[in-house]
Amino acid sequence: MRAVVQTVGRARVTVDDEVTGEITDGLLVLLGVTHTDTPQVAATMARKLHELRILDDERSAADVWAPLLVVSQFTLYGDARKGRRPSWTAAAPAEVAEPLVDAVVEQLRARGAKVETGRFRAHMLVESVNVGPRTLVLDL
């Protein structure tokens, strides 16, 4: 599982002119799933995202009750080392990835986090206003 985490002043996901998720002063999480990921990896990712000390004064979302906007992003497993057309073979198929993205969201909510989401398999418009900017890649 791979995540790109950004501190944001605000972030929003829109699908077909409908806002599906929106936060202020929190973390935007672009989340990709690969073939070997499991529910245990999802639980570990949720814990790391919630406890990641990336906010001001080395605080975490758990420390300050910052919201998270989680957006599925299979393209995080794109491979463009050969040629100009990326390969997506390292990305898990939707039938595998969707339940694991849902598991990360459920685990975050079980920890008490406020979580908003995009919509799986949809053409999403993701807007963000980065703070810092602070961007981190988590690879599990």
Side-chain angles (χ1 to χ4, degrees), residues 1 31-34 37 42 70 72-74 91-106 117-122:
M1 195 166 279
L31 185 64
V33 177
T34 192
D37 289 334
V70 177
S72 63
Q73 189 77 27
F74 78 92
E95 303 75 39
V96 173
E98 186 172 13
L100 291 171
V101 170
D102 290 345
V104 170
V105 170
E106 290 168 17
T117 64
R119 186 175 298 152
F120 208 87
R121 286 188 171 183

Side-chain angles (χ1 to χ4, degrees), residues 20-87:
T20 63
E22 186 170 23
I23 64 166
T24 57
D25 299 322
L27 299 177
L28 172 60
V29 178
L30 305 177
L31 185 64
V33 177
T34 192
H35 303 281
T36 57
D37 289 334
T38 65
Q40 293 77 20
V41 172
T44 300
M45 179 61 81
R47 179 183 54 78
K48 284 192 163 282
L49 290 169
H50 201 222
E51 296 177 1
L52 184 64
R53 293 168 42 171
I54 192 173
L55 298 171
D56 289 342
D57 301 320
E58 294 188 11
R59 306 214 37 182
S60 69
D63 293 333
V64 299
W65 298 99
L68 297 95
L69 175 57
V70 177
V71 180
S72 63
Q73 189 77 27
F74 78 92
T75 60
L76 292 180
Y77 280 101
D79 183 354
R81 290 179 290 185
K82 292 182 181 178
R84 296 176 293 150
R85 182 178 300 138
S87 166

Side-chain angles (χ1 to χ4, degrees), residues 5 13 17 38-40 43 47 50 54 57 66 76 80 90-91 100 107 109 115-116 119 123-124 127 129 140:
V5 184
V13 177
D17 295 324
T38 65
Q40 293 77 20
R47 179 183 54 78
H50 201 222
I54 192 173
D57 301 320
L76 292 180
L100 291 171
Q107 289 284 327
R109 288 181 175 148
V115 183
E116 298 282 324
R119 186 175 298 152
H123 180 77
M124 296 179 276
E127 301 173 69
V129 176
L140 300 183

